[in-house]
Amino acid sequence: MNRFVLAAAPLLFKGVMLAIMGTCRVRTAGATHVRDFEARGEPWLYCSWHNNIAMGVCRLRNRKVAMMASASRDGDLIARAIEVLGNISVRGSSSFRGSQAARDMMRAVRRGHSGAISPDGPRGPVYRCQPGAMWVAALTGCPLVPYHLEANRQWRAKSWDGHKIPKPFTIIHEHFGEPLFVSREDITDGGTTALESLQERMLSNTRACLRAAGHPDHDLPPDGAGVSM
């Protein structure tokens, strides 16, 4: 990738996104799910769909959260954007460098940083949890906390995930869902039960956030539709 593009594009993204989000109001729901972790200084894993990355890295800026980005060349831009917005990029995905990424995330957590992972990334299918999230949670010992953002008015990219960008002067709804702890024993048998629990909690949190923002939920898979293994 051209060095100029790699240096300039994330700075442009930061400037544009912060300018837009600076005009928006944020309404938060479900923060009680992480209040005890915050009070005890314990890290957790923000578990957010791939189409929330743009809003998520801006909303969580300057918190030194270890955020997973694809190890592909396209992921270089995401990783750089994560860093210029005051967080830590961890490179890897379910399809490439996954085990190393899990170990890097574990080291970041041991230093006291919370983490962030997109369970349906980097290629989808959208809104379908993949097992890599289970391994990261089991290795770090951190709970997976469903995290979703929806704007009342927003643009949708023509990408596989329908990536979301808020429009200026709108309301952004931020929802935290019920945490899920995953032990190493949970994943020794394939982790199907734990993965289904994560899928259920992610979809429940996403539906609540969509409703709050006044959007339909017909793009979401139905409850009990299964997960990606």
Side-chain angles (χ1 to χ4, degrees):
M1 184 176 293
N2 183 286
R3 288 186 179 180
F4 175 77
V5 173
L6 184 59
L11 293 173
L12 179 61
F13 166 81
K14 175 183 178 180
V16 171
M17 285 295 294
L18 293 186
I20 291 173
M21 293 182 70
T23 69
C24 300
R25 288 180 292 156
V26 178
R27 293 180 180 173
T28 302
T32 53
H33 287 304
V34 296
R35 192 163 294 158
D36 287 344
F37 303 137
E38 289 180 323
R40 295 193 296 265
E42 297 175 356
W44 67 85
L45 298 172
Y46 292 89
C47 200
S48 183
W49 302 120
H50 196 271
N51 61 21
N52 256 196
I53 287 177
M55 279 196 280
V57 297
C58 292
R59 175 60 179 162
L60 302 177
R61 64 189 179 277
N62 298 325
R63 302 190 191 188
K64 296 301 180 183
V65 176
M67 298 181 169
M68 196 168 291
S70 171
S72 67
R73 292 185 66 184
D74 289 343
D76 291 344
L77 288 173
I78 297 175
R80 181 62 182 144
I82 288 170
E83 291 164 2
V84 300
L85 282 158
N87 288 302
I88 303 164
S89 65
V90 174
R91 305 302 301 276
S93 67
S94 59
S95 57
F96 182 63
R97 204 177 173 270
S99 59
Q100 182 61 48
R103 289 192 290 271
D104 291 345
M105 185 70 79
M106 181 170 59
R107 282 191 282 271
V109 166
R110 286 176 175 171
R111 293 194 295 269
H113 301 285
S114 288
I117 187 170
S118 298
D120 60 342
R123 299 187 183 93
V126 65
Y127 299 131
R128 301 277 187 170
C129 292
Q130 300 176 15
M134 299 293 100
W135 286 97
V136 174
L139 287 174
T140 60
C142 290
L144 291 161
V145 179
Y147 181 71
H148 194 71
L149 296 160
E150 289 283 343
N152 284 9
R153 296 182 299 108
Q154 57 194 3
W155 290 290
R156 297 290 300 271
K158 293 182 179 179
S159 57
W160 68 266
D161 62 347
H163 215 92
K164 303 173 182 182
I165 304 292
K167 292 185 178 182
F169 301 101
T170 191
I171 297 173
I172 297 173
H173 298 266
E174 176 186 53
H175 279 225
F176 294 85
E178 183 181 359
L180 176 67
F181 285 91
V182 181
S183 68
R184 298 198 181 198
E185 290 73 22
D186 290 330
I187 59 176
T188 55
D189 62 351
T192 303
T193 301
L195 192 58
E196 288 173 346
S197 295
L198 177 62
Q199 177 81 7
E200 179 182 345
R201 296 180 194 203
M202 288 288 290
L203 290 179
S204 176
N205 188 56
T206 303
R207 284 198 176 92
C209 196
L210 282 165
R211 288 196 298 268
H215 299 308
D217 63 358
H218 52 69
D219 289 339
L220 300 183
D223 290 334
V227 293
S228 297
M229 297 298 292

